[in-house]
Amino acid sequence: MKKLLSLVLFITMTSVIYAGGYRVSVQGQRAIAMGHTGVAVVNSAELVFFNPAGLVYLENKLNVSVGASGIFTDVIYQNEEFGTSFETDNSVGTPLNLYASYKVNDWMSVGLGVYTPYGSEVTWPTDWSGSHLVNNIDLAAIFVQPTVSFKLSDHFSIGGGPIYVTGSVNFNRNLNRTLSDIDGNRANVTIDDSGVNNWGWTIGAMFNPVENLRVGFNYRSEIILEAEGGDATFTNVPNSPAVPFANGSTNFNAELPLPAELTVGLSYEYKKWLFAFDYNRQYWDVYESLDIDFTNTPTGPDSVNPRNYKNSSVYRFGLQYQATEKITLRAGYYRDETPVQPGFFAPETPRNDSDGFSGGLSFAVTPKLAIDASFFYLRFDEVDASYDSYLENGQSVPFGGTYKSSAFAPGLGLTYKM
Amino acid sequence: MIKNIKYLAVLALGLVACEPEFDNPIEESATITSGEADFSNYVALGNSLTAGFADGALYITGQENSFPNILSKQLALVGGGEFTQPLMADNAGGFSNDPVTFPTRFVLAFDAEGNPGPARYTGAAPSTDFTVNLGSSFNNMGVPGAKSYHLAAPGYGNAAGVAVGLANPYFARFASSPDATVIADAIAQNPTFFSLWIGNNDILGYATSGGVGEDHNVTNNLDPTTYGGDDITNNNVFASVYNDLIGALTANGAKGVVLNLPDVTSLPFFTTVPNNALVLDEATAASLTGFFQAVVGIVTAQVAGTGAPLAQAQALASQYAFTFNAGPNRFLIKTEVTTTNPLGVRQMTEEELLLLTIDQAALAQGYGSVVLTPEVLQVLGILQAGGTPTAEQGALVIAAISGIEDADALDAQELMAISTARDSFNATIAGLAAANELAFYDVASDLAQAANGGIPFDGGVITSQFVTGGGFSLDGVHPTPRAHALVTNGIISAIQDTYGANIPTVNPGEFGTVTLSNEVN
């Protein structure tokens, strides 16, 4: 079991995509198929993530949901003035989720979830024209969340639990637009840290005012990942006292916020149909600046990168249809607003407003075991955007162009109930 | 199973359909066009500027950042083909078989006090052997050191002639045969488009040698095979050679761009050491003024001693009554010894220039004014006390005057020779460009702008200031990669005007300037 868990952790570690800032909405196969709705849907153990309060309304004693998606992301960039064009070469992300709940008695359930709501993997061609901002980034955060849920009445329940987060980051960029060694190799730095841990919490409530209608609320706290003493490796720095860095390793400190998220929503059941709506509010304004301090330099942060994200909203709609005894069909749509403000469009999270389209089905192999399949396609508008806060000798040097992104993710999962 | 295959096909289709695609991808842009020109085979002709020579040497990254190579990447968007260059073997520069004449490049080094200055790179020894012929011609036919007439000179690429100064080691590396000419090797490649930037060295050698060479507009020598490296090419020779080059290049209908010649005297090589760098405090200024009053007395006595009337002797000697003030003063410069200037020295005029290579330590020791030894000071003491020095003592004082050597400066006459030749050469270039309907880039005016206020780019301003200006490499003559980017944009603009092409420019801010390194022993 321990081995299995570490395997799961390992796989999730390598499984990330960029999205919603670096929010990745792939926290359950059934939910994904329904536009990632679920705060008011009582369906499976995926509730551990979507709304712990709902666990207590699950009919079965034991509920287990596991799932994985393969995420294919691609970003293209071009600048018509300079005739440049570049495309990312991101590896396929395979985020994994694991949820379980157990009904202790009629009024209390306990649960456990392992999931990866934040992450980003963007790999631009090395030394591309935005390489002074990013060559590649790989950011991952695994959430482990024990949960308890209480039924206060048939109409109302609450739930919640602590969240343990372990994160990792690997980020490479060139030191500036031109610095190179004698052979013209661009000077760059890689920062790398893992096992960056912290705690947070989540709380939810569910209200069932009438039969067939549920209203849900969930709040997940902000968690700041503080990397201290991570490895910073400088490469191709020219041998000169005029450069404040030398080739080799030093340490760095940096902070990355995983913002709080509030979700309210409802679901309505009508015969074989279920309709769900979720509203997410993501409190991205905590992400003001990405500051990196190399510890071998005397004072203050050495790299200040303003982000000035704003709070953003996601509107999610999901539909479920019980087609046959064994087959359940699902579809969904969501509108995801970007937290990135004009002039702060950094190519390490090249993210503008997007429309998500999803679908999927469940096939009940036995009454206890179902196979869940899902896909989603995230469609981004083509956007002319720039990052204006890069400074050269105190002067702003904007980096901009036209970006277009897409993400496509087919997924498979199993739901077991007993 | 068949059903499954169908699903797989749908899935694969879905994946492909999800690839992002721009509404107007650059690769398929209808507005980016070559116009009337055909860039499929671009050949660049010229000298060190075309070759990518910088920091006093030719090395790989300099070649990669040469304007023809940068331009070829933009031309690739409008049908341009592969662009090959005779890359050197390393980034140290210089030739392994003659590292004295062809040393490694300059890098910007910092001394123990943190003062930056150019120094020869010693991190690696030159590893390029100019007797090794690369065995083919290249799109970049730029040959460092070439003058206009060299492009048509047989034997210019004969490695055996390098040691005796009859051939060019850079051309020897890729000349198709020992008696090949640059122009014939270029034409043999059947270029559809060419750039020609030649003539700079027809003036520059004279200028960087401080004008010690011959001005063949004065000698009227029309035989370039007799010219020395430091000479100014005769205007008619230049016009004739240039006309032949253009004729050969356009014979098969190729289109091209030609560049004119910037004012060499605005290069940092001539503007970095000011002619008034003799900075004095009040006491030293007064003592120097007093020194030359003594000189006037000594010269008056000498001239009067030859039997001339005293008034005439005084008038002649008074030209040496140089006065010095606290602050900057202009240096003294050597001139011809004549009956009207028996000491052969005068003060520099405002427009006259000193070379970057002048011995700055010597300047600090009195070169350009007076080298005051204890013996000289003793004589001055005698004079101040009202005594009369002996003839020997007088000669000692006169000998202490240390005017700038001709080879360290460009005087007014030399400057005139340079500008006369340049004006004539540029008239030839502009005239032949117009007559042959070629694109013409007035790079001279852009360089004047860099020297006179600067050229803005997204990260600041590019100027001709030595080391810090961003426009010139550490030899003070050749451009940096960033300046090559500016030249590229100027050429693109000229091509657009002449041929109706529309080609994206490059961003100079993405190109570097001087290279830092403390591997200088």
Side-chain angles (χ1 to χ4, degrees):
Chain A
M1 187 60 204
K2 224 174 168 182
K3 256 188 187 164
L4 183 68
L5 187 66
S6 37
L7 183 69
V8 167
L9 286 176
F10 176 75
I11 293 168
T12 44
M13 283 282 279
T14 58
S15 63
V16 278
I17 63 160
Y18 78 93
Y22 34 91
R23 173 80 173 88
V24 192
S25 290
V26 281
Q27 274 69 59
Q29 293 304 320
R30 291 186 176 187
I32 291 168
M34 293 175 64
H36 211 257
T37 55
V39 73
V41 177
V42 175
N43 198 330
S44 71
E46 289 171 7
L47 277 163
V48 172
F49 170 80
F50 286 90
N51 188 354
L55 288 172
V56 80
Y57 293 122
L58 287 171
E59 285 169 10
N60 299 89
K61 190 100 177 151
L62 177 69
N63 298 276
V64 178
S65 290
V66 296
S69 292
I71 305 184
F72 302 83
T73 64
D74 205 356
V75 190
I76 53 177
Y77 164 88
Q78 71 177 22
N79 183 310
E80 285 179 58
E81 184 185 359
F82 301 126
T84 48
S85 57
F86 298 95
E87 180 173 5
T88 57
D89 181 22
N90 308 328
S91 52
V92 180
T94 51
L96 215 115
N97 312 298
L98 173 67
Y99 303 107
S101 77
Y102 180 75
K103 187 173 276 196
V104 178
N105 54 41
D106 185 46
W107 52 270
M108 183 173 93
S109 289
V110 294
L112 179 71
V114 179
Y115 52 94
T116 57
Y118 292 95
S120 181
E121 203 258 299
V122 180
T123 303
W124 292 99
T126 302
D127 299 337
W128 74 297
S129 55
S131 59
H132 56 297
L133 300 174
V134 59
N135 273 314
N136 58 70
I137 184 167
D138 191 342
L139 181 75
I142 300 162
F143 283 43
V144 180
Q145 176 200 323
T147 293
V148 61
S149 171
F150 298 105
K151 179 156 78 178
L152 303 181
S153 78
D154 284 341
H155 297 292
F156 192 67
S157 68
I158 57 168
I163 297 171
Y164 176 75
V165 178
T166 178
S168 68
V169 64
N170 182 289
F171 175 59
N172 174 274
R173 78 175 195 194
N174 291 350
L175 291 186
N176 61 33
R177 291 198 293 171
T178 57
L179 187 69
S180 62
D181 67 9
I182 192 84
D183 289 317
N185 301 309
R186 299 279 298 275
N188 64 86
V189 62
T190 300
I191 63 171
D192 185 88
D193 201 9
S194 57
V196 183
N197 306 326
N198 209 340
W199 289 89
W201 51 270
T202 182
I203 190 165
M206 192 173 279
F207 179 49
N208 312 311
V210 294
E211 204 182 347
N212 299 339
L213 178 69
R214 296 184 194 275
V215 179
F217 159 91
N218 187 245
Y219 180 82
R220 205 178 54 253
S221 75
E222 158 191 315
I223 299 169
I224 310 284
L225 288 180
E226 297 172 13
E228 279 187 27
D231 292 328
T233 309
F234 291 85
T235 314
N236 301 336
V237 177
N239 172 8
S240 170
V243 185
F245 307 109
N247 285 321
S249 281
T250 179
N251 294 108
F252 80 96
N253 299 328
E255 277 186 8
L256 190 74
L258 307 177
E261 185 171 281
L262 172 75
T263 306
V264 293
L266 56 84
S267 74
Y268 184 74
E269 230 178 320
Y270 177 73
K271 295 184 178 167
K272 290 178 172 179
W273 295 86
L274 175 79
F275 166 77
F277 169 74
D278 276 21
Y279 168 76
N280 298 144
R281 185 70 175 164
Q282 295 167 348
Y283 295 93
W284 282 106
D285 64 351
V286 64
Y287 194 29
E288 290 169 355
S289 182
L290 175 61
D291 298 344
I292 300 168
D293 181 20
F294 300 110
T295 51
N296 66 339
T297 56
T299 49
D302 300 284
S303 171
V304 177
N305 308 285
R307 290 291 178 260
N308 279 345
Y309 276 27
K310 64 177 180 188
N311 295 338
S312 64
S313 298
V314 190
Y315 305 87
R316 303 178 183 278
F317 303 88
L319 199 60
Q320 174 177 291
Y321 175 66
Q322 185 75 44
T324 70
E325 188 96 337
K326 293 197 165 190
I327 294 176
T328 310
L329 302 175
R330 301 187 181 89
Y333 163 79
Y334 60 95
R335 177 69 176 171
D336 195 348
E337 294 177 346
T338 181
V340 181
Q341 306 206 60
F344 290 93
F345 197 91
E348 106 249 346
T349 41
R351 162 100 187 166
N352 50 306
D353 293 346
S354 62
D355 294 298
F357 303 92
S358 72
L361 57 85
S362 288
F363 178 75
V365 183
T366 72
K368 287 181 179 175
L369 183 70
I371 297 171
D372 305 319
S374 77
F375 76 88
F376 76 81
Y377 169 60
L378 213 48
R379 189 195 166 280
F380 292 81
D381 287 333
E382 186 174 314
V383 62
D384 291 322
S386 70
Y387 182 73
D388 300 343
S389 296
Y390 179 78
L391 300 182
E392 211 167 84
N393 304 319
Q395 180 170 338
S396 161
V397 180
F399 176 78
T402 308
Y403 291 87
K404 190 164 190 182
S405 309
S406 74
F408 177 75
L412 270 180
L414 289 174
T415 301
Y416 180 78
K417 53 193 180 184
M418 189 173 84
Chain B
M1 190 60 206
I2 287 164
K3 217 170 156 189
N4 288 345
I5 288 170
K6 260 197 235 161
Y7 284 131
L8 281 173
V10 168
L11 185 69
L13 204 66
L15 282 172
V16 171
C18 292
E19 296 270 309
E21 206 174 289
F22 286 122
D23 297 339
N24 295 303
I26 282 173
E27 295 80 8
E28 299 159 23
S29 170
T31 56
I32 299 177
T33 146
S34 63
E36 300 151 27
D38 172 1
F39 300 112
S40 58
N41 189 14
Y42 163 43
V43 172
L45 272 91
N47 48 41
S48 51
L49 298 165
T50 294
F53 186 100
D55 300 311
L58 190 66
Y59 54 88
I60 296 169
T61 59
Q63 294 175 286
E64 286 171 342
N65 287 303
S66 65
F67 77 84
N69 196 47
I70 299 170
L71 178 63
S72 73
K73 290 177 186 170
Q74 300 308 101
L75 295 184
L77 295 164
V78 287
E82 192 196 4
F83 190 82
T84 57
Q85 300 199 100
L87 292 180
M88 296 286 278
D90 55 44
N91 279 300
F95 285 118
S96 57
N97 30 357
D98 189 358
V100 176
T101 318
F102 302 99
T104 57
R105 68 193 276 187
F106 287 112
V107 288
L108 189 64
F110 287 72
D111 66 17
E113 281 82 48
N115 302 311
R120 294 279 179 187
Y121 177 68
T122 58
S127 61
T128 310
D129 179 344
F130 62 75
T131 64
V132 176
N133 190 282
L134 298 172
S136 69
S137 290
F138 295 85
N139 292 88
N140 191 335
M141 295 292 287
V143 177
K147 300 190 179 196
S148 59
Y149 53 85
H150 285 145
L151 299 191
Y156 192 56
N158 182 358
V162 172
V164 289
L166 292 174
N168 182 304
Y170 299 99
F171 185 42
R173 294 181 64 232
F174 58 91
S176 62
S177 71
D179 58 351
T181 65
V182 176
I183 182 70
D185 280 2
I187 300 301
Q189 299 182 54
N190 292 317
T192 60
F193 190 82
F194 67 88
S195 64
L196 178 65
W197 193 7
I198 197 72
N200 315 70
N201 290 326
D202 296 66
I203 300 169
L204 188 71
Y206 179 85
T208 55
S209 69
V212 298
E214 301 244 37
D215 175 5
H216 293 299
N217 287 316
V218 172
T219 66
N220 274 320
N221 177 351
L222 299 180
D223 180 6
T225 61
T226 62
Y227 288 1
D230 296 340
D231 295 355
I232 290 180
T233 305
N234 180 276
N235 292 343
N236 293 325
V237 170
F238 179 84
S240 160
V241 166
Y242 206 90
N243 187 52
D244 291 348
L245 292 173
I246 294 291
L249 286 165
T250 55
N252 68 351
K255 294 179 169 31
V257 59
V258 296
L259 291 81
N260 65 2
L261 311 176
D263 178 8
V264 294
T265 60
S266 67
L267 301 175
F269 191 84
F270 301 101
T271 59
T272 300
V273 184
N275 62 15
N276 65 347
L278 182 59
V279 180
L280 306 170
D281 60 31
E282 205 157 334
T284 315
S287 103
L288 270 181
T289 304
F291 173 90
F292 281 100
Q293 277 163 1
V295 169
V296 169
I298 291 164
V299 172
T300 305
Q302 280 178 353
V303 175
T306 62
L310 184 63
Q312 193 189 324
Q314 283 171 332
L316 185 69
S318 67
Q319 66 179 305
Y320 304 119
F322 305 125
T323 55
F324 297 85
N325 302 306
N329 294 268
R330 273 194 221 115
F331 288 109
L332 304 182
I333 185 168
K334 279 188 184 164
T335 178
E336 215 174 323
V337 176
T338 60
T339 48
T340 55
N341 189 345
L343 297 186
V345 68
R346 62 176 174 82
Q347 201 152 18
M348 293 184 81
T349 60
E350 189 177 356
E351 74 275 14
E352 290 177 332
L353 301 171
L354 294 177
L355 275 48
L356 181 64
T357 44
I358 196 168
D359 186 343
Q360 304 241 17
L363 288 179
Q365 297 298 317
Y367 178 43
S369 54
V370 179
V371 180
L372 289 171
T373 60
E375 293 77 17
V376 172
L377 288 169
Q378 199 185 343
V379 182
L380 291 177
I382 296 169
L383 280 164
Q384 266 173 353
T388 306
T390 65
E392 269 174 17
Q393 286 171 323
L396 206 59
V397 170
I398 301 297
I401 303 170
S402 174
I404 302 277
E405 300 285 344
D406 183 35
D408 281 334
L410 287 177
D411 66 27
Q413 203 185 342
E414 293 162 347
L415 288 168
M416 181 59 72
I418 288 167
S419 86
T420 302
R422 187 175 83 96
D423 289 348
S424 168
F425 294 179
N426 278 346
T428 296
I429 294 169
L432 285 171
N436 291 281
E437 295 176 334
L438 297 171
F440 169 73
Y441 171 36
D442 181 10
V443 62
S445 78
D446 275 356
L447 195 104
Q449 171 76 34
N452 224 330
I455 297 171
F457 75 112
D458 72 351
V461 177
I462 302 166
T463 73
S464 299
Q465 184 75 34
F466 191 48
V467 178
T468 56
F472 285 92
S473 72
L474 297 168
D475 57 26
V477 172
H478 294 96
T480 58
R482 185 167 293 164
H484 274 284
L486 284 179
V487 171
T488 305
N489 287 345
I491 290 174
I492 286 173
S493 168
I495 292 174
Q496 295 185 157
D497 289 348
T498 307
Y499 298 122
N502 182 23
I503 304 164
T505 56
V506 295
N507 183 357
E510 292 181 14
F511 293 81
T513 57
V514 297
T515 300
L516 302 168
S517 176
N518 258 39
E519 291 181 58
V520 292
N521 282 348

